[in-house]
């Protein structure tokens, strides 16, 4: 049993390393493509004025990061159903039909996790929109710092940025709570079964 655990650990870590490396290549490629596109758009002012800089920064940092995480976990999309069927067959063979009751209880938690995952994704997209507006406001403040200083608008801009940041952090906190609840359901379902 210990040898199987060691072999599993070594193989799984190697697989994670390879997929993480591929995800990093994807991430670097997409950031490079965004950068190259920005360099081409820079000469056409009407196009770049319609795209807020906060949105571009958000795409380059947050959205591209998802490819890195997805590359690590995409293999579970294919292996999980096969593994679940194998565990069901092996459990029935070793324990008997009572294993089906525990397995059914485990499957009852799946819709709850899907719901929590959807709520988390919705909140993350809301956070992304708020972050876009905050980064855009900060970019405007930085580009117009001379005018802002001359007219004494520092406090007003600081208050606007702090208000947007507070709204953003409340959404981030709510999304983190959903993520934590989803993780706790995941770990609790193993103990409950």
């Amino acid at each position: 049993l210990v040898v199987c655990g060691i072999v599993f650990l070594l193989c799984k870590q190697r697989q994670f390393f390879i997929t993480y490396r591929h995800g990093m290549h994807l991430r670097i490629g997409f950031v490079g493509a965004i950068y190259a596109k920005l360099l081409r758009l820079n000469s056409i002012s009407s196009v770049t004025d319609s795209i807020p800089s906060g949105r571009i920064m958000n795409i380059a940092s947050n959205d591209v990061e998802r490819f890195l995480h997805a590359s690590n976990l995409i293999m579970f999309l294919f292996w999980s159903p096969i593994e679940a069927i194998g565990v069901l067959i092996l459990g029935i063979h070793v324990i008997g039909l009572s294993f089906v009751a525990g397995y059914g209880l485990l499957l009852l938690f799946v819709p709850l996790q899907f719901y929590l995952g959807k709520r988390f994704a919705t909140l993350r997209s809301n956070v992304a929109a708020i972050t876009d507006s905050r980064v855009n406001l900060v970019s405007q403040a930085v580009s117009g710092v001379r005018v802002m200083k001359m007219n004494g608008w520092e406090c007003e801009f600081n208050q606007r940025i702090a208000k947007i940041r507070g709204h953003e952090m409340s959404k981030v906190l709510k999304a983190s709570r959903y993520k934590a609840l989803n993780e706790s359901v995941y770990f609790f379902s193993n103990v409950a079964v």
Side-chain angles (χ1 to χ4, degrees):
L1 190 61
V2 172
V3 173
C4 287
I6 292 171
V7 169
F8 176 75
L9 176 73
L10 294 175
C11 292
K12 185 63 78 177
Q13 291 305 317
R14 178 73 179 151
Q15 178 266 326
F16 272 144
F17 171 73
I18 291 170
T19 55
Y20 192 83
R21 191 170 175 181
H22 286 297
M24 189 63 78
H25 287 198
L26 277 173
R27 181 177 176 262
I28 291 169
F30 282 123
V31 169
I34 291 170
Y35 182 70
K37 183 70 172 177
L38 285 176
L39 288 177
R40 285 195 305 269
L41 289 177
N42 199 15
S43 62
I44 306 169
S45 63
S46 65
V47 175
T48 55
D49 289 341
S50 65
I51 303 171
S53 61
R55 181 158 177 83
I56 295 169
M57 291 296 293
N58 194 22
I59 289 171
S61 62
N62 293 338
D63 294 347
V64 174
E65 190 74 22
R66 292 180 185 159
F67 287 103
L68 180 66
H69 295 300
S71 67
N72 233 359
L73 302 173
I74 195 75
M75 64 150 212
F76 292 116
L77 187 64
F78 303 112
W79 283 109
S80 294
I82 296 169
E83 194 172 327
I85 292 169
V87 166
L88 179 63
I89 292 170
L90 188 63
I92 290 172
H93 179 70
V94 172
I95 297 175
L97 287 178
S98 61
F99 182 79
V100 176
Y103 198 80
L105 180 64
L106 184 65
L107 290 179
L108 285 177
F109 286 113
V110 172
L112 177 63
Q113 285 186 303
F114 274 121
Y115 170 74
L116 292 174
K118 276 190 165 189
R119 291 289 303 152
F120 175 71
T122 303
L123 282 172
R124 287 302 298 166
S125 66
N126 291 347
V127 167
I130 296 169
T131 303
D132 287 346
S133 66
R134 181 182 55 84
V135 170
N136 193 22
L137 185 62
V138 170
S139 298
Q140 290 173 3
V142 169
S143 65
V145 72
R146 184 175 291 165
V147 174
M148 189 172 60
K149 286 280 191 188
M150 284 180 9
N151 292 323
W153 293 338
E154 300 99 344
C155 291
E156 183 181 326
F157 263 95
N158 191 16
Q159 288 172 354
R160 286 176 60 190
I161 292 170
K163 182 181 176 185
I164 292 173
R165 181 68 180 155
H167 185 59
E168 178 185 12
M169 287 310 297
S170 70
K171 293 288 186 181
V172 167
L173 186 62
K174 194 173 182 180
S176 297
R177 286 184 183 143
Y178 276 116
K179 188 173 183 181
L181 184 61
N182 196 16
E183 293 287 326
S184 64
V185 166
Y186 171 74
F187 287 112
F188 173 74
S189 63
N190 291 333
V191 174
V193 172

